[in-house]
Each structure stands twice: as C-alpha cells, then as structure tokens.
Amino acid sequence: MKILLLGGNGFIGRRLAARLIEAGHELSAPSRAELDLARPDQDWAAWLDGAEAVANLAGAFRQGRSGGLEAVHYHGPLRLAGLAKKYGVRRWVQLSALGAAPDAATLFLASKGRGDAALLDGGLDAAVARPSLVYGADGASSRLLMRLARLPLWFLPDGGRQPIQPVAAADVAEGLHRLIEGRIRGAVDFVGAEEATLADYLRQLRSLQGLGPIERVQLLPGWLVDGLASCCGRIPGSLLDRDSLRMLRQGSTADPAAFAALLGRSPLSFRQFGEVV
C-alpha cells in the first residue's frame, strides 16, 4: 500500500514509519517544509497522487502564530482530506488526543476535536486514535517527567493525585499500524492497561532509573501552580502553561477495552514501561 505519512519525523511518527516499511508498504513522508498543514498556499496534490492511505500525525501543542492550532488540527487536515477524496484515497488515520472534543476547555483539545469531527463526517474511510500521555525514552514529556522523578523532593499540584493512564509509544505505533491496515471507523482511545495518579507514575519512572522511593511529596497550592503555569507559558518550548495544567487537572483516563481489541492483547501498564522504549 502507498501511504502518505505526515509527522513521520516525530516521536510517534518515527516508530510508525519503521513498522510500515518493515511491513512492506511504500511510504511517502514529506517534511513540514514540504507539506505544512498551516500553509494552504502550498501545492499538496502531488503528495496524494497514487496514495491509498493518509496517516496524519502532524500536530502542535502551543498556539504559535495566530490561528496556528486551528490551522494544523482543523482547517489544514480538512483541506487535505478534500484533496484526498478527489485522488481516490480510501483510508485516513488521524492521531488526536484523549479528551479531544469541539467544546473542550483548552484550545489544543478543542481544535483537535473539531478536526476529528470534520474528518469523521467527511465521507472518508476514517479512524481517529486518541492517546493518553505517551511514554517513550525519546519523548519530550517523558524526558521532563524522568528529570522530575529524580528530584529528592517533589512539589506537585494537589500532591500529584491527578488521574492519568499512560500508554507506551510502541503500543501507539502498533495501534496506528493496525488502523491503517484495518477497516475500523471512528475514534479509538489509546490508553494503558492501568490507571495511575501522577505521583504513582513518577514513582515508577523513578524506579526505572534505579532510584529508591521518594521520601516526601509536597502539595503545591493552586494559586502558586496557576502562577507558575502562567509564567512558564511565556517560555518558548515549555510544556507547562495554563492549558497543560487544565488538562492535567481534568485527568486523562478511559476504558482500554477497544484499544486491547485493536491490538489483540492488553496494552502495557505503566508498571511495564521498563520493558519498552
């Protein structure tokens, strides 16, 4: 199968690309400079010629230039999907995020949700993967949390009681591969086998680094966390801002049954992450 892969150089994209090539698929993976969903002035049609499937893993977390998230998550994919239909592409698989919905409280999740809804209603044979927090040794969020886990004292919002359900990057790549080759339509929540609190997850990441148990977790008051998020949000590349804090507080969990059915096995628990990268 000839597949157009967007975001093939990213954290998940590299893993998916390796799987697709190993499976014998013909892969076209343009760089962002070659196909930028935020630039409708580019000629995208040539990338779709002969393609049988599109895997869209392109995305952004911060707004950047005005309208950036809406362009990358909603307007751009919708325009590309319209072209894909004209070129006879039969399959579209989209990487979204757990909690994405058109009316979500954060722009990141709301723009993802609008894009998902438009694509699922757009007449393509489409599936949407919605992962929770993804673990992988080379992931930006994983590296940040690993550094935090090494500290001798943790200062965590609400003492780290927020519910999360981390999923292994290897499982996400396998799930996307199965969606591309399969016929499932609609959205599938990609979550690990077991829920955890943020503090539980940090304890596991600490253990993976050969460190002993943390002696103390300090609860940070809400007003202080809000102030830190506001300040950090002004730093380019920061993973902490008001939206990320809001998403952390609302939690990120779901029933793993649909993901397990897709994989043909139970997804890994966060307690097994030392076995994968």
Side-chain angles (χ1 to χ4, degrees):
M1 186 190 309
K2 184 176 180 181
I3 302 167
L4 172 60
L5 172 62
L6 305 185
N9 292 321
F11 170 47
I12 301 298
R14 293 191 298 272
R15 290 170 169 80
L16 178 59
R19 291 186 63 94
L20 294 174
I21 292 170
E22 184 178 357
H25 295 295
E26 181 184 349
L27 204 61
S28 176
S31 67
R32 184 173 179 180
E34 293 171 315
L35 201 166
D36 185 348
L37 292 174
R39 290 192 55 193
D41 57 302
Q42 290 180 324
D43 181 10
W44 299 344
W47 295 103
L48 294 164
D49 191 17
E52 299 169 75
V54 172
N56 177 25
L57 277 61
F61 186 70
R62 302 287 287 273
Q63 175 72 340
R65 58 185 179 276
S66 180
L69 290 179
E70 288 288 329
V72 173
H73 297 157
Y74 177 30
H75 299 297
L78 194 58
R79 177 176 178 265
L80 184 64
L83 285 172
K85 284 194 291 185
K86 291 181 181 179
Y87 277 80
V89 174
R90 68 167 186 86
R91 186 67 167 157
W92 183 290
V93 172
Q94 175 119 328
L95 183 65
S96 184
L98 192 64
D103 60 349
T106 67
L107 181 56
F108 171 75
L109 290 177
S111 60
K112 284 277 192 183
R114 283 187 280 273
D116 296 348
L119 287 164
L120 291 173
D121 292 338
L124 281 172
D125 182 15
V128 173
R130 293 178 174 168
S132 181
L133 180 65
V134 181
Y135 168 81
D138 55 331
S141 63
S142 295
R143 291 196 302 268
L144 175 64
L145 291 174
M146 292 286 269
R147 289 196 296 269
L148 176 58
R150 290 196 295 268
L151 296 176
L153 176 63
W154 295 346
F155 293 89
L156 301 178
D158 300 321
R161 293 192 293 267
Q162 300 86 353
I164 57 176
Q165 202 164 347
V167 60
D171 280 354
V172 174
E174 181 179 344
L176 289 167
H177 184 185
R178 289 176 179 267
L179 286 179
I180 291 167
E181 293 183 340
R183 304 186 66 179
I184 291 176
R185 295 187 180 187
V188 181
D189 294 333
F190 281 27
V191 294
E194 188 177 1
E195 293 185 20
T197 65
L198 175 61
D200 288 335
Y201 186 42
L202 288 171
R203 289 186 180 96
Q204 176 63 14
L205 296 181
R206 185 177 176 85
S207 176
L208 289 179
Q209 298 175 86
L211 300 174
I214 188 74
E215 294 184 2
R216 185 180 177 190
V217 177
Q218 181 67 44
L219 186 150
L220 281 180
W223 63 267
L224 180 55
V225 178
D226 290 339
L228 287 172
S230 180
C231 292
C232 290
R234 299 186 177 96
I235 302 172
S238 171
L239 295 178
L240 176 63
D241 61 11
R242 289 177 177 175
D243 276 1
S244 62
L245 179 60
R246 189 176 292 116
M247 287 189 287
L248 176 64
R249 283 171 169 164
Q250 75 184 29
S252 181
T253 63
D255 186 342
F259 190 36
L262 175 65
L263 295 175
R265 59 172 174 82
S266 177
L268 293 174
S269 161
F270 74 98
R271 302 180 194 278
Q272 299 171 288
F273 284 175
E275 303 169 13
V276 297
V277 294

